[in-house]
Amino acid sequence: TVTVDAAGYQIQIRNEDGTKIGAAAVPKTAVADDAEEVSLTIVETSLNENITVLAGQEAFTYEITATGLKAGNTVPIPVYVRLPAGLDPATVKVYHNEDEITDANYNPNDGYVTFETATFSPFTFVYDAESVYVPVAPAPSDLPVANVIQSPEFENVDLPWGSFGG
């Protein structure tokens, strides 16, 4: 599906059962003036033989293609691709052709890896198949502190005494 807002085109790719497998947020500044359509395709392809996959790792390659972009586009386009959720983010690597995208981010909660690219071609995703994300709880001293002050705007508000989240 494609939706258009003031910033550009929001594109979602779903597989046969309706699960979202990828998305892109194409800024209007990346779109060709004469574009009749802006689209994104994600198709699994053969693994790039120049990328090393170690024992215990999983890897797959998607040919990701965008249409309707300006010739020689240089505007970064955020792309989202779904991997299995719950992986250790330190084990997830993304390659554009054979070059690692060092600023790709993996979210273990929803399984999406996000990265920006101005050009499209094969992207390879490598991760430790058995890795598990274990969140580290922040130390109490690292938690934000809320300062409660009396505000004249709320002096005459009649609220029962209690504890309220906010």
Side-chain angles (χ1 to χ4, degrees):
T1 59
V2 178
T3 57
V4 183
D5 60 21
Y9 297 79
Q10 308 302 315
I11 304 170
Q12 294 184 13
I13 305 293
R14 297 184 182 275
N15 64 14
E16 299 82 33
D17 69 2
T19 304
K20 186 163 72 169
I21 60 171
V26 181
K28 285 187 177 178
T29 55
V31 177
D33 294 335
D34 61 348
E36 294 181 19
E37 175 182 72
V38 176
S39 68
L40 181 75
T41 57
I42 300 177
V43 178
E44 193 163 1
T45 188
S46 58
L47 190 62
N48 184 327
E49 60 195 38
N50 295 320
I51 295 176
T52 302
V53 180
L54 302 173
Q57 291 183 322
E58 300 259 342
F60 60 91
T61 301
Y62 281 143
E63 179 71 43
I64 301 177
T65 309
T67 63
L69 301 181
K70 290 180 179 176
N73 175 55
T74 59
V75 176
I77 298 170
V79 177
Y80 311 82
V81 175
R82 178 172 242 149
L83 301 180
L87 300 172
D88 180 350
T91 72
V92 177
K93 307 272 187 246
V94 179
Y95 298 89
H96 183 203
N97 292 315
E98 297 170 13
D99 300 319
E100 183 176 354
I101 300 175
T102 57
D103 60 351
N105 291 304
Y106 169 77
N107 182 336
N109 298 317
D110 62 16
Y112 282 101
V113 63
T114 60
F115 56 92
E116 290 187 339
T117 185
T119 61
F120 291 85
S121 62
F123 290 87
T124 301
F125 304 87
V126 179
Y127 54 91
D128 288 352
E130 300 298 319
S131 73
V132 176
Y133 175 64
V134 178
V136 177
S141 61
D142 292 337
L143 295 173
V145 176
N147 293 321
V148 179
I149 59 171
Q150 183 174 354
S151 174
E153 299 168 9
F154 299 105
E155 273 187 52
N156 298 321
V157 175
D158 185 22
L159 293 173
W161 183 253
S163 175
F164 299 92

